[in-house]
Amino acid sequence: MLNWIKFLSVFLLTLFAAIAIFVLYQSNKPFASSQEAAIEVVLNAGELVEVDETTSYRGNASLIAVYGTDRKGKYKALLVNEKSGEIVRTVTPSKGITKQQATAIVKKEKPVKKILHTSLGIEKERLLWEVSFIGEDDRLNYVYLDFTDGKWQKQILNL
């Protein structure tokens, strides 16, 4: 009888772990496929020859920022509309504040426990950095900084 209890416990634990892994994998699948599609759009358009990184921005429109180098060796970021697959805007990161600078501004002025992500996006034709973080009070916060000068645009705090 004791062997059956052990077997059943191990079986149920293994089944639960397998189901959890499957659900996590399936939930990440659409996100990964939209990033892959954005990379394919940028590469097929010949805008970039090498892709370094992608980030997602969910504002008025869902955008994927694709970072990489073009044929001339210049580092660029291209914003691709997730739904239409169009390249919305090409950005030269050196003409504004960097992702690291945006993160540093937020850390300097807000009580940050952990930075979740920093993404490039567009609101009302203005380029901005979206920085999401967990505050010292364990609450979710979103801060939007202007891309050109790092000034605060909008804050959504204590969610």
Side-chain angles (χ1 to χ4, degrees):
M1 181 71 173
L2 187 59
N3 287 335
W4 277 104
I5 294 173
K6 288 180 185 177
F7 171 76
L8 189 59
S9 298
V10 170
F11 176 76
L12 290 176
L13 186 62
T14 305
L15 181 65
F16 176 73
I19 290 172
I21 290 169
F22 178 75
V23 167
L24 288 173
Y25 174 75
Q26 290 296 332
S27 66
N28 193 34
K29 209 173 187 179
F31 180 70
S33 67
S34 66
Q35 287 185 334
E36 289 170 6
I39 291 170
E40 188 175 319
V41 165
V42 169
L43 293 175
N44 288 342
E47 294 288 333
L48 297 177
V49 293
E50 185 178 321
V51 174
D52 296 333
E53 176 186 12
T54 60
T55 59
S56 298
Y57 174 77
R58 307 280 188 249
N60 291 338
S62 294
L63 302 172
I64 305 292
V66 182
Y67 303 87
T69 52
D70 65 5
R71 281 183 237 110
K72 297 177 183 177
K74 290 185 178 180
Y75 191 71
K76 290 183 177 180
L78 283 92
L79 298 173
V80 179
N81 186 309
E82 186 176 4
K83 290 183 182 176
S84 68
E86 295 177 23
I87 297 173
V88 177
R89 194 151 177 190
T90 302
V91 180
T92 305
S94 62
K95 293 187 178 181
I97 65 169
T98 65
K99 180 190 276 193
Q100 291 79 13
Q101 289 171 323
T103 303
I105 290 169
V106 172
K107 285 182 176 179
K108 181 181 173 186
E109 298 193 24
K110 297 287 180 190
V112 175
K113 186 174 187 180
K114 179 182 178 186
I115 297 286
L116 299 176
H117 77 270
T118 304
S119 302
L120 190 60
I122 299 176
E123 288 286 328
K124 299 179 184 173
E125 300 303 317
R126 173 177 264 166
L127 279 170
L128 49 84
W129 287 107
E130 175 188 65
V131 181
S132 70
F133 64 94
I134 301 294
E136 292 293 329
D137 56 357
D138 289 328
R139 293 182 180 229
L140 178 62
N141 300 279
Y142 290 92
V143 176
Y144 299 86
L145 304 173
D146 189 274
F147 173 76
T148 54
D149 57 11
K151 291 185 180 176
W152 297 86
Q153 296 301 310
K154 181 168 69 169
Q155 300 177 40
I156 303 171
L157 304 174
N158 299 322
L159 297 175

